[in-house]
Amino acid sequence: MKKFRGLLCLSLLTMVLLFSSFSSKTQQNVAVPLIRNYAWYTPSGQFVAWSTLINTEVVTGGDLNPTNGTLISEGYTDGGPGESPVGAVVYKIYSHP
């Protein structure tokens, strides 16, 4: 009986040590920057600049209101010099007469 109890305790101790060495996967949270730059393109697809929404509105004199406006630039999540627009269109800037 002593051998059986010793073997049982040894088995339980081995299992506890074995399973305690594994840890659950930790999930990393990627922080979204507070100020985000977008790749701005003309309606014809020509790259203009990397800029924030506010800076682009100030520089172009445009806004986000499409009513009676002319599309002057589109802000994409990705892209850049020498690349065609990629990613998602996030903003469209319009000028008004």
Side-chain angles (χ1 to χ4, degrees), residues 5 34-35 49 72:
R5 202 162 85 183
L34 295 175
I35 299 173
I72 54 175

Side-chain angles (χ1 to χ4, degrees), residues 19-43:
F19 287 114
S20 68
S21 65
F22 295 107
S23 63
S24 62
K25 216 177 203 180
T26 57
Q27 192 175 27
Q28 293 181 349
N29 294 332
V30 177
V32 177
L34 295 175
I35 299 173
R36 183 164 185 183
N37 283 320
Y38 299 98
W40 294 96
Y41 289 86
T42 62

Side-chain angles (χ1 to χ4, degrees), residues 1 10 22 26 37 42 44 50 54-55 59 67-70 72-74 76 81 89 95:
M1 189 67 162
L10 184 62
F22 295 107
T26 57
N37 283 320
T42 62
S44 64
W50 284 101
I54 301 299
N55 189 45
V59 169
T67 307
N68 296 327
T70 303
I72 54 175
S73 63
E74 298 173 317
Y76 288 81
V89 175
S95 67

Side-chain angles (χ1 to χ4, degrees), residues 49-66:
W50 284 101
S51 181
T52 62
L53 172 64
I54 301 299
N55 189 45
T56 300
E57 286 181 336
V58 169
V59 169
T60 62
D63 59 28
L64 300 174
N65 183 9

